[in-house]
Amino acid sequence: MFSKKGHKPPRLADWLVSKLIGDEYLEEFFGDLHEIYEDRLASKSRTYAWCMYWVDALHLLFGFTSFKLFKTQNNTIMLKSMFIIAWRNAIRQKQFTVLNLLGLTIGISISLTIGLYVYNESNFDEFLTEKDRIYRVNQPDIWNEWTEMSSTTGPNVATALRAEIAEFEEVTRILVMGNQFTRYTSESTKAKTFKELRFHLAEENFFKVFDYEFLQGNPATALAAPMNLVVTESTAKRYFGTTDVMGKSIEVKDWDGSWKTYVVTAVLADLPSQSHLQFDMLASLTSNQEQMDYHSWKWIWTAFSTYVLVNDGADIDALTAKLQTIPPKYAPPTTERIFNQSYEEFTAGNPWKLELQPVTDIYLGASPSQNAFGPVGNAQVVQIFAAIGVVILLLSCINFINLSTARSANRAKEVGVRKVLGSQRGTLVRQFVFESVLFVAIGTLMALVVVNSALNWFNIVAERELSLIPWLSQPSFLLILLLFVLGLGILSGGYPAFYLSSFKPIAVIKGQVSKGNKGKSFRNALVVFQFTISICLIICSLFVQKQLRYASTIDLGLSEENLLQIHNIEQFGFNSEPIKTALSGLAAVSEIGKSFGIPPNVGSGDRYRSTEPNAPVLQLSNLRVDEDYLDVIDVSFLSGRNFDIERPADKYRVILNEEAIKLLGWNAEDAIGRSIAVASGNEDEFEVIGVVKDFNFQSTKTGILPLILLHHGNDRVWDYGAGLSYYTLRLKPSAVQTSDNLRVLINDAEAILKGIDQSIPFEFSFMDQQFEDSFRNEQRMGAVLNFFTLMAMVIACLGLFGLAAYSAEQRTKELSIRKVLGAKTSQLTLLFSTGFIKLVGLSILVSVPLAYWLVNIWLEGFAYRTPIQVGVFALAALISLLIAIFTTGYQSLYVASKNPVDTLKAE
């Protein structure tokens, strides 16, 4: 019947309809349901047809249900009776009711929160209409390790794709422009100046690929002409206070200090947060036509991201194979004209491959690890959290099963009497499953309230914008929630239901049913599993905190404290010496130096080689500094000297770090006086005058890379005068002992810069804070992991407490007899607790190797790793044992302290 092989409607929905709808309606309803399903399957996706089939089925159930599931003539009375029985049992056993509901609420709350997070992270760019046909073109990172892929390409890649690949319906580029200073002058106010961090250029056909929502303007013409500008809704309001801004002008500062005027041609709705592309302003690429005309043939101006829209039905594997013929054909002019090398010499055996990455895979893709135009996710973290969510939900389910089976003896007589009175086993099973589903339903409702209240905290810690309310109006979510309640209720109550209903009436009435001992081994195994997971999470949390502390205390090779960094110096022009002189006159400043990059965010680099014959070409990071900068950050010299302002020739000399001379095959003493050349253009040579000890100029998550320190006035290297520049001030500790002192200093520094140019925003940072911020993701993950670990341990303890309470109830007479025979309270307490402590001890033995394996995998992502020490495992074991002892201690003391007379007087 169905047009697509194997694509049948959900069987569970059909079963529910058959059980809950009257027989006289079934044929007609099934015919309509299946016919609509087939139409949707043909016109839409299988997922859409499947979800809507459930929605239609539920509509029928609400309107025509006869509750045949319960096989009774009076369904209302049956349901009422089941509810009353469930309510009475819950009231009679208050302690276990509270433990069950609390465990379920915590487990479902955490799982639901994690589910929202995982869904958010896993559905980036799903809003794009043509998401299944959009791909980003990646290439090797030619500036670092060729084994790593880069998300950016040169401008000529798009040109080559248009000429060579007919299967691409559209090829478009977007160019990252870095920080841009803008201004807007209205008739009634003075000029407003902004620093735009997300200002990019894009081609005219950009919106043919990415169909963002337009509030004003035409997607086909928005970027058609030079100086066209598209802004987002919030950006328009920030500048003009309204979204009615078509035709208004915004000026953008050019590299030479002049201002270019752009005209707003479109307004977009704010981009979804689940987009790997983020921008506030998007200008036409033809606005930069002069630069494009000069550089468009290059393959090494890797500041573009190139996207393609493939034809329907295109074979991606075949296209990828076809792409590999393009670099050898189009890249040689770049390598020959710029690097004086043939294509084969430049690649040195490394394949210059092009790959197509689906747009929906970009955010969580393991490679490339960087995205110049927006956020990147961490698939490992998403997988870890997803696993934690499943495990915590499983722990809650285990608690429910454990406590339900443990309390079975208390309901044994009820089961026996009901069977004697004619109740069938199926009726009893439905009663117990109903109670389980009811518990899960109440726990789920409570969890929804908890999640809605606690989500703000999670958003702050995880830096996300998750919300539960919009989901509550989604039929698909409500359906999933319903299936979740039924599924978890049946799963959690299934074993207790069949176990309790299996009691023999005669055996029960004669008192021959074991007091909950039949499933003791199974319950013990579940307790071991619970504590194994909880202890494993404790160990992982301890190592996360240990690694963060370790990374914050390693020797950086420089003195990062009391260093104030002033940003945007490049905006004041080439001659910034007056600023340096004025800032150095502040009483709290002891030293000041200039750099074109600041640790830990130095990312510039180039290709160099030794001037010795047949020397290989090497990739070195580079940092431009003045004569004072290295002294300001307190970097030590192994040999040679610093730049000297009294020696004009130092302008064309360089300083290397230890990693650089190791790569060159030199030692610190021999390096002085040798020369190194830029492996491009005129291949200018620079004498080495110093070697510094290695220092961290990038995050401590990565190792120290080879570094060449250039004089900031060296105009023979291509990036002279380009990029961001900073002044770093070494502060006197005695002058900034209080926050008021620091505030006065910052105000004075701002006054100096505003006195020179009022329009340039004043920005500053502290180097030690920036190093700490480089671990923000790990700190966030650690905070969330700590909370989840705590909740997992709480759930495990709730279960252990419940079982201890049940065990105390079952063993009261035994312990009373022992006490009459002379046993001391301390001995009875130890006897009662020993069984539970053994279970926790077994959990420790199982969890330690598992945690070691997980921690070792996580630490592989750090260049500097904390040692995996036995003490951490011992601490986690001690914490677990203490928690277990505390959890069971109350019940142990309570039952051991009871007066035997009160317990045995009825015997």
Side-chain angles (χ1 to χ4, degrees):
M1 176 180 178
F2 300 103
S3 56
K4 296 187 179 181
K5 185 178 180 180
H7 290 183
K8 297 180 179 180
R11 294 180 179 178
L12 179 59
D14 282 350
W15 181 82
L16 287 173
V17 170
S18 68
K19 290 295 182 182
L20 301 177
I21 298 294
D23 292 334
E24 64 273 20
Y25 301 115
L26 285 180
E27 183 178 357
E28 180 181 354
F29 284 169
F30 273 135
D32 291 342
L33 284 172
H34 291 177
E35 182 179 351
I36 295 172
Y37 177 81
E38 186 174 8
D39 291 341
R40 287 170 177 159
L41 194 63
S43 60
K44 302 282 185 179
S45 66
R46 180 187 179 187
T47 301
Y48 177 81
W50 189 90
C51 290
M52 292 308 297
Y53 190 92
W54 267 106
V55 172
D56 293 340
L58 289 175
H59 282 169
L60 291 177
L61 293 180
F62 287 132
F64 296 91
T65 181
S66 64
F67 285 105
K68 287 164 51 184
L69 176 66
F70 302 110
K71 299 183 184 293
T72 176
Q73 294 181 351
N74 196 329
N75 298 303
T76 303
I77 296 176
M78 183 67 172
L79 285 175
K80 183 178 179 181
S81 174
M82 293 172 71
F83 183 83
I84 290 174
I85 293 172
W87 174 257
R88 287 173 177 172
N89 278 296
I91 295 300
R92 187 180 304 119
Q93 302 173 11
K94 295 182 179 67
Q95 185 181 66
F96 287 86
T97 299
V98 171
L99 291 177
N100 273 330
L101 283 179
L102 189 57
L104 285 172
T105 300
I106 293 174
I108 297 171
S109 297
I110 292 176
S111 301
L112 184 55
T113 302
I114 292 178
L116 291 173
Y117 170 79
V118 171
Y119 182 87
N120 179 82
E121 297 296 288
S122 305
N123 284 272
F124 264 65
D125 298 298
E126 291 287 344
F127 63 90
L128 296 169
T129 303
E130 301 292 347
K131 60 181 181 295
D132 295 330
R133 297 201 294 142
I134 302 174
Y135 292 80
R136 185 176 67 186
V137 181
N138 301 326
Q139 69 169 28
D141 187 355
I142 62 174
W143 300 111
N144 291 294
E145 296 291 337
W146 281 71
T147 54
E148 297 291 330
M149 296 300 289
S150 171
S151 62
T152 54
T153 64
N156 191 246
V157 172
T159 305
L161 295 179
R162 291 189 180 107
E164 298 289 334
I165 310 296
E167 292 85 349
F168 291 158
E169 182 178 319
E170 297 288 345
V171 179
T172 193
R173 296 170 290 186
I174 182 171
L175 171 64
V176 61
M177 293 298 291
N179 300 338
Q180 298 291 308
F181 287 85
T182 63
R183 70 183 182 189
Y184 161 69
T185 305
S186 67
E187 298 177 358
S188 57
T189 62
K190 63 180 182 180
K192 297 180 181 179
T193 304
F194 300 89
K195 183 178 181 179
E196 294 296 341
L197 305 180
R198 303 192 301 185
F199 182 103
H200 311 310
L201 304 183
E203 289 192 282
E204 179 181 355
N205 65 340
F206 181 79
F207 295 114
K208 291 182 179 180
V209 179
F210 296 94
D211 55 340
Y212 297 114
E213 180 184 354
F214 272 70
L215 301 181
Q216 294 187 39
N218 185 347
T221 60
L223 297 174
M227 315 315 292
N228 281 6
L229 183 67
V230 176
V231 300
T232 62
E233 179 181 4
S234 59
T235 303
K237 290 179 179 178
R238 177 156 49 93
Y239 278 78
F240 307 103
T242 178
T243 58
D244 187 16
V245 297
M246 294 290 288
K248 293 186 179 292
S249 298
I250 294 178
E251 294 180 287
V252 180
K253 194 174 186 179
D254 208 356
W255 66 272
D256 60 358
S258 62
W259 292 84
K260 289 184 176 180
T261 301
Y262 289 78
V263 177
V264 177
T265 53
V267 179
L268 301 180
D270 286 339
L271 271 59
S273 59
Q274 290 175 288
S275 172
H276 85 281
L277 282 177
Q278 294 291 333
F279 56 84
D280 296 316
M281 292 184 170
L282 200 63
S284 53
L285 187 60
T286 52
S287 305
N288 207 19
Q289 192 60 49
E290 183 179 350
Q291 189 178 26
M292 289 297 298
D293 290 341
Y294 187 75
H295 296 289
S296 62
W297 56 276
K298 292 181 178 179
W299 276 61
I300 64 161
W301 180 20
T302 51
F304 294 80
S305 271
T306 304
Y307 295 89
V308 297
L309 183 67
V310 302
N311 292 334
D312 282 324
D315 186 338
I316 301 302
D317 291 335
L319 280 178
T320 301
K322 195 173 181 180
L323 288 177
Q324 309 320 311
T325 64
I326 292 178
K329 181 177 180 180
Y330 284 85
T334 296
T335 64
E336 293 166 2
R337 291 171 60 179
I338 296 178
F339 297 110
N340 305 318
Q341 291 180 310
S342 67
Y343 176 81
E344 291 73 18
E345 290 173 329
F346 180 81
T347 56
N350 297 301
W352 195 326
K353 60 182 179 180
L354 300 178
E355 69 173 20
L356 296 175
Q357 184 177 27
V359 69
T360 53
D361 291 349
I362 290 175
Y363 179 71
L364 286 182
S367 178
S369 59
Q370 303 293 330
N371 175 20
F373 298 92
V376 290
N378 189 323
Q380 184 185 51
V381 171
V382 173
Q383 292 165 359
I384 290 173
F385 281 2
I388 290 174
V390 172
V391 165
I392 289 180
L393 189 60
L394 188 58
L395 295 183
S396 298
C397 187
I398 287 172
N399 263 4
F400 190 84
I401 294 173
N402 253 354
L403 296 178
S404 297
T405 55
R407 297 294 293 177
S408 60
N410 290 354
R411 301 189 67 179
K413 290 185 179 180
E414 173 196 340
V415 171
V417 171
R418 292 180 68 176
K419 280 194 171 184
V420 168
L421 294 176
S423 291
Q424 300 297 316
R425 186 179 184 185
T427 303
L428 296 173
V429 168
R430 282 193 290 272
Q431 172 67 48
F432 294 125
V433 169
F434 174 82
E435 292 181 16
S436 176
V437 171
L438 185 62
F439 264 108
V440 177
I442 295 173
T444 301
L445 291 175
M446 294 171 63
L448 290 174
V449 175
V450 170
V451 170
N452 190 54
S453 302
L455 209 51
N456 285 338
W457 171 84
F458 184 85
N459 285 335
I460 292 172
V461 175
E463 295 187 355
R464 294 295 184 269
E465 298 178 357
L466 307 182
S467 178
L468 177 64
I469 300 300
W471 286 99
L472 298 180
S473 61
Q474 298 292 327
S476 57
F477 177 76
L478 296 177
L479 173 62
I480 292 172
L481 212 58
L482 176 62
L483 295 177
F484 170 79
V485 170
L486 292 174
L488 183 56
I490 293 171
L491 177 66
S492 300
Y495 176 78
F498 284 99
Y499 174 61
L500 291 171
S501 62
S502 67
F503 291 163
K504 303 293 184 183
I506 300 299
V508 171
I509 294 173
K510 287 183 177 181
Q512 295 175 354
V513 174
S514 61
K515 298 295 185 178
N517 291 320
K518 183 177 179 180
K520 184 176 180 181
S521 297
F522 178 67
R523 291 197 298 273
N524 288 345
L526 294 181
V527 169
V528 170
F529 176 78
Q530 280 186 308
F531 270 87
T532 296
I533 298 301
S534 300
I535 295 168
C536 187
L537 287 174
I538 290 175
I539 294 172
C540 292
S541 296
L542 290 175
F543 271 106
V544 168
Q545 300 306 317
K546 191 171 185 289
Q547 173 62 26
L548 292 176
R549 287 195 302 272
Y550 177 79
S552 65
T553 57
I554 64 173
D555 182 8
L556 299 176
L558 49 80
S559 299
E560 75 278 14
E561 296 182 353
N562 295 317
L563 289 180
L564 174 64
Q565 300 165 142
I566 308 298
H567 299 223
N568 304 329
I569 301 301
E570 75 284 350
Q571 297 298 317
F572 293 90
F574 279 90
N575 183 20
S576 60
E577 284 300 315
I579 298 175
K580 182 176 182 179
T581 301
L583 291 174
S584 62
L586 296 174
V589 176
S590 61
E591 296 176 281
I592 182 171
K594 185 179 183 180
S595 65
F596 281 75
I598 47 177
N601 301 311
V602 176
S604 180
D606 210 335
R607 293 161 61 91
Y608 297 86
R609 62 172 179 81
S610 166
T611 55
E612 298 166 355
N614 302 318
V617 174
L618 307 172
Q619 182 67 37
L620 303 181
S621 299
N622 62 31
L623 174 62
R624 288 179 173 272
V625 299
D626 68 2
E627 299 84 359
D628 300 313
Y629 183 75
L630 296 179
D631 292 332
V632 172
I633 64 174
D634 197 20
V635 171
S636 301
F637 276 79
L638 294 176
S639 63
R641 60 178 178 82
N642 197 353
F643 297 116
D644 188 347
I645 196 171
E646 301 296 332
R647 303 184 186 187
D650 279 3
K651 178 179 178 180
Y652 299 115
R653 292 171 177 154
V654 297
I655 299 170
L656 304 175
N657 72 346
E658 292 177 86
E659 286 297 317
I661 62 172
K662 288 178 185 177
L663 191 62
L664 289 162
W666 303 341
N667 60 48
E669 297 299 331
D670 293 342
I672 305 304
R674 293 193 177 191
S675 294
I676 188 170
V678 181
S680 61
N682 296 327
E683 300 192 354
D684 293 288
E685 298 181 5
F686 308 117
E687 179 188 351
V688 178
I689 61 171
V691 177
V692 296
K693 289 183 66 174
D694 282 340
F695 65 94
N696 288 91
F697 56 91
Q698 294 180 342
S699 169
T700 53
K701 287 188 289 188
T702 60
I704 298 176
L705 300 176
L707 174 68
I708 181 171
L709 294 156
L710 303 170
H711 191 278
H712 71 109
N714 189 334
D715 54 6
R716 296 178 184 173
V717 180
W718 69 272
D719 62 349
Y720 171 67
L724 309 177
S725 62
Y726 309 80
Y727 272 121
T728 299
L729 287 60
R730 167 71 63 183
L731 307 181
K732 300 174 184 177
S734 59
V736 287
Q737 291 182 342
T738 68
S739 58
D740 289 337
N741 296 149
L742 193 57
R743 190 178 301 109
V744 169
L745 169 64
I746 293 173
N747 290 339
D748 290 343
E750 181 177 9
I752 290 173
L753 270 67
K754 289 294 186 181
I756 297 174
D757 191 334
Q758 182 73 26
S759 67
I760 299 175
F762 176 77
E763 296 180 4
F764 66 92
S765 62
F766 293 94
M767 185 180 290
D768 56 353
Q769 185 63 49
Q770 290 201 309
F771 270 103
E772 184 177 342
D773 287 346
S774 66
F775 283 90
R776 283 182 65 189
N777 289 336
E778 285 74 16
Q779 290 168 344
R780 291 201 307 268
M781 187 192 80
V784 175
L785 182 60
N786 288 343
F787 177 74
F788 290 159
T789 300
L790 176 63
M791 291 299 101
M793 184 56 75
V794 167
I795 292 173
C797 289
L798 288 174
L800 188 61
F801 181 84
L803 290 179
Y806 170 74
S807 180
E809 181 181 324
Q810 297 298 311
R811 298 182 66 183
T812 299
K813 291 180 182 179
E814 172 203 338
L815 296 177
S816 295
I817 293 172
R818 288 179 181 273
K819 197 167 187 179
V820 169
L821 295 176
K824 297 179 181 179
T825 300
S826 59
Q827 292 174 323
L828 295 176
T829 301
L830 181 62
L831 175 67
F832 182 84
S833 302
T834 299
F836 295 107
I837 302 304
K838 286 180 180 179
L839 295 179
V840 177
L842 180 59
S843 301
I844 292 171
L845 294 178
V846 176
S847 64
V848 165
L850 176 61
Y852 178 88
W853 176 68
L854 293 173
V855 168
N856 198 47
I857 291 176
W858 182 69
L859 287 176
E860 288 178 357
F862 296 88
Y864 304 95
R865 305 173 192 170
T866 184
I868 300 180
Q869 297 171 328
V870 177
V872 177
F873 295 94
L875 177 60
L878 180 61
I879 292 173
S880 304
L881 286 172
L882 290 175
I883 290 174
I885 291 172
F886 177 79
T887 302
T888 60
Y890 169 77
Q891 297 293 346
S892 303
L893 289 172
Y894 173 75
V895 72
S897 302
K898 267 193 171 184
N899 189 338
V901 174
D902 296 331
T903 305
L904 302 174
K905 62 184 179 182
E907 296 298 319

